[in-house]
Amino acid sequence: MSDNDGSPNVGKPEGAEQSEHLNIKVTDNNNEVFFKIKRTTQLKKLMDAFCERQGKSPQSVRFLFDGQRVNPTDNPDSVRTTRRKGRNDRKDIKAD
């Protein structure tokens, strides 16, 4: 038997099994809102959607990840976690 089973990951670099999308939970201590976005999407899109759903002004809300402020120009890949190791397909962001 052959080792190549015709799977589509032939020729992909190691670590390419990471999903293109990421699940992000945004909480404001009262509500939790879940988003599924691409790893390269600027978080401004998520921030604006959260504020719209909660009826808040984006200027009145701070977004934090592990205690560090998240900027609208950041993307999920640029917001690194020091606590989680291995496969990181979900991030939790706090809105104050």
Side-chain angles (χ1 to χ4, degrees), residues 1 8 14 16 21 24 28-29 36 47-48 50 53 56 65-66 68 73 78 85 88 91:
M1 293 189 118
E14 197 172 310
H21 290 88
I24 298 180
D28 65 357
N29 292 329
K36 184 175 182 179
M47 294 171 172
D48 290 343
F50 178 81
R53 289 182 186 184
K56 298 179 180 180
F65 177 72
D66 281 348
Q68 298 294 317
T73 56
S78 71
K85 304 275 187 216
N88 191 8
K91 294 184 189 275

Side-chain angles (χ1 to χ4, degrees), residues 4 8 13 16-18 23 28-29 37 39 43 62 68-69 77 79-80 88-89 93:
N4 185 359
E17 68 276 353
Q18 236 182 8
N23 295 314
D28 65 357
N29 292 329
I37 64 173
R39 294 178 176 275
L43 292 177
R62 290 180 302 159
Q68 298 294 317
R69 186 127 189 205
D77 277 346
V79 178
R80 297 286 180 206
N88 191 8
D89 58 356
I93 295 177

Side-chain angles (χ1 to χ4, degrees), residues 35-66:
F35 296 92
K36 184 175 182 179
I37 64 173
K38 289 184 178 180
R39 294 178 176 275
T40 56
T41 300
Q42 286 191 351
L43 292 177
K44 180 182 185 337
K45 189 172 182 181
L46 174 143
M47 294 171 172
D48 290 343
F50 178 81
C51 290
E52 184 177 324
R53 289 182 186 184
Q54 300 302 316
K56 298 179 180 180
S57 166
Q59 290 76 24
S60 69
V61 181
R62 290 180 302 159
F63 291 86
L64 306 171
F65 177 72
D66 281 348

